[in-house]
Amino acid sequence: MFYVLLACFGCLSGVTAVLFGFGGGFVVVPLMYRLLMARHSGDAMGESAMHIAVATSTCVMIVNALVATRKHHRAGQMIRHYLWPFGGFIGLGAILGAAAATAMNGEIIRYAFISYLGLTILDCLLRRGFLTRGSDSVPRRLAKTETVLGGATIGIIATFLGVGGSVMTVPLLRRCGLSMSQATSMANPLSLPVALAGTVTYMVMSNFTGTDFGTWFIGYVDLLAFVVLTLGALLGIRLATPWIGRIPDRLHARVYVGLLMLVMIGMFSG
């Protein structure tokens, strides 16, 4: 049942990667955390449940982000100047965020995850430019501060929480004047630096804690869970691809915020 659920939620993560830029973290992290706590309460894996969930999530995001980026590129949704050097600074911040997360208690990461979701939802609802976009609005380029300081901050927070960064990049790009379809498309390649830096760091840093979870683990990354989640995600990406660019902008934005609310409630109840 454990792996059946992972496969189903992996499929869902593939759908959200294509349509909303969520590379897997918002789907995988809450699920894996709750399943690991249920199966390993009181042992070493239970105590490290949040670290394992976040680490495995970042690994799954590599595949999700790569495949979804290819699909969006074929659909003509990529805008190059929003990707570099912004993505480079996200990658630098990602290394710092992953290193900090391995030194933190799992419950601290969990509540940081919940708090960040709450703040993001409020920001999307209260600040102009996210739920509605003027039909005559002209997209602007990212400012230097947004590129350097914003990129590094996104990398730190995203890798610390294992969420890929879409929850920060999508609202930011949305306020630059991009449509929801364009903003969520950009979120996938911008999640790659976070996923790569986070995965490598989580694999290496656990060696310094003396933790060994068994044969199917590299550091905090659960390889069996990764394979099952990835296979499910590839199916989800295939199912969602025909919908690229076809969802009305206002509906797309509202569903995005609604999904954030559902994840926050699920994580809080866990």
Side-chain angles (χ1 to χ4, degrees), residues 50-51 101 103-115 160-161:
M50 194 63 186
H51 291 93
M104 288 286 183
N105 178 276
E107 280 300 290
I108 294 176
I109 299 176
R110 177 173 169 247
Y111 284 112
F113 190 102
I114 294 168
S115 299
F160 185 85
L161 301 179

Side-chain angles (χ1 to χ4, degrees), residues 6-170:
L6 285 183
C8 292
F9 276 77
C11 182
L12 180 58
S13 77
V15 172
T16 59
V18 170
L19 299 182
F20 302 99
F22 296 163
F26 285 108
V27 177
V28 174
V29 170
L31 172 73
M32 279 205 69
Y33 172 78
R34 299 187 72 170
L35 290 177
L36 287 169
M37 287 298 292
R39 293 185 73 192
H40 300 280
S41 180
D43 64 17
M45 287 183 68
E47 291 174 2
S48 300
M50 194 63 186
H51 291 93
I52 294 170
V54 171
T56 306
S57 166
T58 61
C59 199
V60 173
M61 273 191 279
I62 295 174
V63 179
N64 282 5
L66 279 171
V67 178
T69 296
R70 188 164 173 249
K71 298 290 185 183
H72 283 290
H73 179 68
R74 285 184 172 181
Q77 296 286 327
M78 295 288 108
I79 306 175
R80 224 171 254 189
H81 63 76
Y82 289 109
L83 300 178
W84 184 264
F86 187 43
F89 287 103
I90 290 176
L92 289 175
I95 297 172
L96 298 176
T102 59
M104 288 286 183
N105 178 276
E107 280 300 290
I108 294 176
I109 299 176
R110 177 173 169 247
Y111 284 112
F113 190 102
I114 294 168
S115 299
Y116 190 80
L117 279 173
L119 290 173
T120 302
I121 290 166
L122 287 174
D123 186 62
C124 290
L125 292 175
L126 299 177
R127 195 189 297 190
R128 289 183 180 179
F130 188 85
L131 291 179
T132 57
R133 171 179 176 259
S135 58
D136 58 345
S137 62
V138 179
R140 66 171 178 84
R141 286 178 177 263
L142 288 166
K144 198 172 203 177
T145 304
E146 290 171 328
T147 299
V148 179
L149 186 59
T153 302
I154 287 170
I156 291 170
I157 296 173
T159 317
F160 185 85
L161 301 179
V163 296
S166 63
V167 70
M168 291 163 279
T169 56
V170 170

